[in-house]
Amino acid sequence: MSITDIQMLFKFIGGLGMFLYGMDAMADGLQKSAGHKMQQLLGALTSNRLMGVLLGTGITAIIQSSSATTVMVVGFVNAGIMNLQQAVGIIMGANIGTTVTSWIVSMSEWGEMLKPEFFAPALVGVGAVFSLFSKNEKKKQIGEILVGFGVLFIGLGFMSASITPYRNAPIFGQAFSVLGRNPILGILAGLVVTGIIQSSSASVGILQTLALNGIVNWQSAIFITLGQNIGTCVTALLSSLGANRTAKRAAVIHLMFNVAGAVIFGIIMFILFQMNPVLASSRISSVEISVFHTVFNVTNTILLFPFAGLLVKASGIFVRGNEKEEASDSESEMKRHLDDRILETPSFAIENVNHEVVNMGYAALENFDVAADALLTSNLSEIKQVEKLEQKIDHYEKLLTDYLIKINNQSLNEEQHILVKNLFYTISDFERISDHCENLSELATEKANRNIIFSQEAESEMKEMLKAVRASLEHAIKARETSDMSEVRSVVQCEENVDSLEEELRERHIERLSTQSCKPENGVVFLDALSNLERISDHAHNIAGYVKEEI
């Protein structure tokens, strides 16, 4: 191998690296720009399978990877966020969405002005200026997209230039002739290459780069493309290894769908090439690969869409096991819901963790109810229940904080950074609320051990305070859950009511102590309880304040 050959090899490797990096950077920029729209897409998901297909197409077009979409679907199914009927539609749509990349790659054949060497440097230059010097978040995101787009095309240019000197080399003609004559070999070649680089978009891009140099024939390109569509399933299958049975079935559905399409089209195209040897051996262009890739995925979806239910049933044959999930307690459920696969798309991961933070809030509300009743009744069993709930909430805090740290390490836009920061604070506030509930249970223990009984007047006042604080906490949780400004305003009103009530009840109780109508030891428990309740309301007010910042 000569120095020139080594130089061309390095050029090809560098070009491939820039292509992959550009595709990733462009996808990051698109995700940041889509931001809240991605959450709305998830909200639009229903049992309507056609909606699932459209959703899968849209998500894959944004994140530029059907593998990433399918891995995310495996995560959603594993977390119980969606069922297999919904998943199958998204998987079908993901195959259509992945064709966008092939059309981007083939742009250089659309006209002279669309050749990478013509406009890619300008895109990188403009994008870099936006990313580095603009203070506007949207412009920074546009800059990221432009840089990614430009680097992608420069990488393609490098790959193409490195292959050009060898376009007439016999090895290429012989290799593609062998792959074309043997459909199985062609499909295996596409499958292996895609399985290794974990991206059908990238492997189709490499094939299109070879086609740009006129060294790929129709017959080999078609079978390699079919193999690439099967190879893209490898990522999801590997991802499903640590998932539950239903998630494994989602990955198998993806494989069955692509294998069925490859078999149908493989047979049709093999017969067509036997009937038309001239077409089989003629050179295929990058645009023609894009056309076939799109026709294959759209037609495959149309053909198999009516049989989606059968795919779901068939997946149960390949993945056997007990329908009953091993873990059913709420802690295990939360672990399952905080699935790392969903981190592939931060918008969805944030939406998911927000849901779990709300669940933590309701657990804190449950703890408050138990602690409040324990304080009034001195019930020892309820005091023990508060301790158990406090331990559970402490563990929730750790799980959610760890997951938020992972999300924070992803590529987020400014709006998402604010939301993640506020979720960190919200978790801390819910944990502090639970701590105050534990304080109330300790006061209940003291009340029981020392046989302290509140006077009728004091008990009535305590019930009034408990009711006001509970309302504040409940509205704060609903504000976090719904992002509804009316709930935020309700918390503000409740907090004002709690503050004035705490001051008023404290004065009344001090007056009772001064007239000796209440024992001093009773007064300490009562006043400490008021302080803890007022602090719970303060934390509820904090939570509502975070929501207000986001609206």
Side-chain angles (χ1 to χ4, degrees):
M1 186 181 281
S2 67
I3 294 293
T4 304
D5 292 335
I6 295 172
Q7 186 180 12
M8 289 298 125
L9 176 63
F10 285 173
K11 198 170 186 177
F12 181 83
I13 293 169
L16 178 60
M18 282 192 283
F19 173 73
L20 293 172
Y21 175 79
M23 196 162 65
D24 189 59
M26 185 174 66
D28 266 357
L30 285 166
Q31 279 197 66
K32 286 180 184 177
S33 297
H36 194 62
K37 295 185 184 71
M38 295 283 276
Q39 294 179 27
Q40 290 173 338
L41 282 175
L42 181 62
L45 182 62
T46 65
S47 296
N48 185 324
R49 202 177 296 132
L50 180 59
M51 181 65 77
V53 172
L54 296 174
L55 182 64
T57 303
I59 293 170
T60 307
I62 291 171
I63 65 177
Q64 293 287 295
S65 172
S66 60
S67 299
T69 302
T70 313
V71 166
M72 189 175 63
V73 167
V74 169
F76 280 145
V77 173
N78 188 57
I81 296 171
M82 69 173 63
N83 57 42
L84 285 174
Q85 293 293 338
Q86 294 168 324
V88 71
I90 296 178
I91 289 166
M92 290 178 174
N95 280 29
I96 298 173
T98 197
T99 61
V100 171
T101 310
S102 66
W103 283 107
I104 291 171
V105 173
S106 65
M107 280 175 65
S108 58
E109 288 191 353
W110 297 1
E112 193 65 32
M113 287 183 66
L114 291 175
K115 287 188 179 296
E117 56 268 26
F118 181 81
F119 67 87
L123 287 180
V124 174
V126 173
V129 169
F130 277 13
S131 294
L132 295 173
F133 302 111
S134 177
K135 298 199 183 295
N136 183 287
E137 186 68 20
K138 280 290 177 189
K139 285 184 180 177
K140 281 181 177 288
Q141 290 161 12
I142 291 169
E144 282 185 48
I145 296 167
L146 291 176
V147 168
F149 207 56
V151 170
L152 183 155
F153 274 108
I154 291 171
L156 280 172
F158 267 61
M159 284 196 289
S160 183
S162 67
I163 292 167
T164 300
Y166 307 102
R167 66 171 68 184
N168 295 318
I171 187 170
F172 282 114
Q174 291 167 4
F176 285 112
S177 177
V178 169
L179 293 174
R181 282 197 306 270
N182 192 324
I184 304 299
L185 276 180
I187 289 171
L188 282 174
L191 191 160
V192 170
V193 171
T194 306
I196 290 171
I197 63 177
Q198 298 277 294
S199 171
S200 63
S201 297
S203 61
V204 170
I206 294 170
L207 182 65
Q208 287 179 289
T209 303
L210 295 172
L212 283 168
N213 287 276
I215 57 177
V216 186
N217 59 47
W218 262 88
Q219 192 166 230
S220 56
I222 295 305
F223 295 128
I224 289 170
T225 303
L226 294 176
Q228 288 167 335
N229 277 275
I230 298 174
T232 196
C233 302
V234 170
T235 310
L237 287 168
L238 291 173
S239 172
S240 71
L241 292 177
N244 62 31
R245 175 180 180 270
T246 312
K248 287 185 175 72
R249 287 178 64 186
V252 168
I253 288 170
H254 185 215
L255 177 64
M256 289 191 298
F257 175 72
N258 283 10
V259 168
V263 169
I264 293 167
F265 270 80
I267 293 170
I268 293 170
M269 296 308 293
F270 180 77
I271 294 169
L272 179 64
F273 291 142
Q274 292 298 311
M275 293 170 61
N276 192 343
V278 177
L279 174 66
S281 58
S282 62
R283 297 289 175 251
I284 190 170
S285 70
S286 178
V287 171
E288 286 167 336
I289 290 175
S290 297
V291 170
F292 175 75
H293 195 217
T294 304
V295 168
F296 164 71
N297 284 299
V298 172
T299 306
N300 193 31
T301 299
I302 292 170
L303 287 174
L304 297 180
F305 185 81
F307 304 103
L310 287 176
L311 286 173
V312 173
K313 288 180 181 176
S315 69
I317 297 171
F318 290 101
V319 183
R320 296 182 180 277
N322 195 332
E323 287 284 352
K324 187 179 177 183
E325 293 298 337
E326 297 131 1
S328 58
D329 60 282
S330 55
E331 182 184 314
S332 299
E333 282 291 302
M334 182 176 282
K335 284 181 181 177
R336 199 159 59 85
H337 289 176
L338 302 177
D339 197 303
D340 285 353
R341 299 168 189 85
I342 302 172
L343 294 170
E344 291 280 349
T345 310
S347 299
F348 290 142
I350 292 170
E351 182 73 11
N352 198 34
V353 79
N354 184 69
H355 176 71
E356 294 305 328
V357 170
V358 169
N359 286 342
M360 181 185 179
Y362 281 117
L365 182 63
E366 181 189 355
N367 206 12
F368 175 83
D369 287 338
V370 176
D373 200 56
L375 182 66
L376 293 172
T377 63
S378 303
N379 188 318
L380 292 176
S381 65
E382 287 183 321
I383 291 167
K384 288 178 182 177
Q385 192 179 346
V386 170
E387 291 173 9
K388 288 180 182 177
L389 285 168
E390 164 63 11
Q391 288 173 3
K392 183 170 84 169
I393 288 167
D394 282 346
H395 194 62
Y396 279 1
E397 182 193 27
K398 184 182 183 308
L399 289 175
L400 289 167
T401 300
D402 288 348
Y403 197 72
L404 278 172
I405 290 169
K406 291 177 185 177
I407 293 175
N408 209 36
N409 290 331
Q410 305 300 312
S411 184
L412 306 177
N413 61 30
E414 188 177 0
E415 181 186 341
Q416 290 168 333
H417 272 298
I418 291 170
L419 182 51
V420 168
K421 175 199 72 176
N422 287 343
L423 287 173
F424 272 120
Y425 293 153
T426 302
I427 290 166
S428 178
D429 277 298
F430 280 139
E431 196 279 328
R432 291 295 298 128
I433 286 168
S434 186
D435 284 345
H436 286 295
C437 291
E438 190 174 31
N439 292 346
L440 292 176
S441 75
E442 288 170 1
L443 291 171
T445 304
E446 184 181 350
K447 188 167 169 272
N449 291 341
R450 299 176 65 179
N451 199 26
I452 294 171
I453 300 172
F454 288 154
S455 67
Q456 192 172 354
E457 184 183 357
E459 185 169 336
S460 176
E461 290 173 352
M462 184 55 67
K463 285 180 180 177
E464 187 181 2
M465 184 67 169
L466 288 167
K467 184 179 178 183
V469 172
R470 191 189 193 282
S472 181
L473 178 54
E474 189 172 18
H475 283 300
I477 296 167
K478 286 180 179 174
R480 178 74 275 164
E481 185 174 18
T482 62
S483 296
D484 188 342
M485 195 60 198
S486 66
E487 294 290 352
V488 173
R489 285 192 288 268
S490 295
V491 176
V492 173
Q493 289 170 2
C494 287
E495 165 64 5
E496 290 173 359
N497 181 35
V498 167
D499 283 346
S500 60
L501 193 58
E502 192 256 355
E503 189 177 340
E504 182 186 339
L505 297 185
R506 187 177 291 274
E507 287 177 2
R508 282 192 208 167
H509 201 71
I510 290 171
E511 188 179 332
R512 282 197 295 270
L513 287 171
S514 64
T515 59
Q516 297 185 344
S517 59
C518 178
K519 294 178 182 178
E521 58 267 29
N522 295 21
V524 171
V525 171
F526 187 90
L527 293 173
D528 281 354
L530 285 182
S531 296
N532 279 282
L533 290 169
E534 194 275 331
R535 291 298 298 134
I536 289 172
S537 184
D538 284 345
H539 287 295
H541 188 258
N542 291 345
I543 292 163
Y546 309 142
V547 176
K548 184 181 178 181
E549 184 185 358
E550 298 156 16
I551 296 175

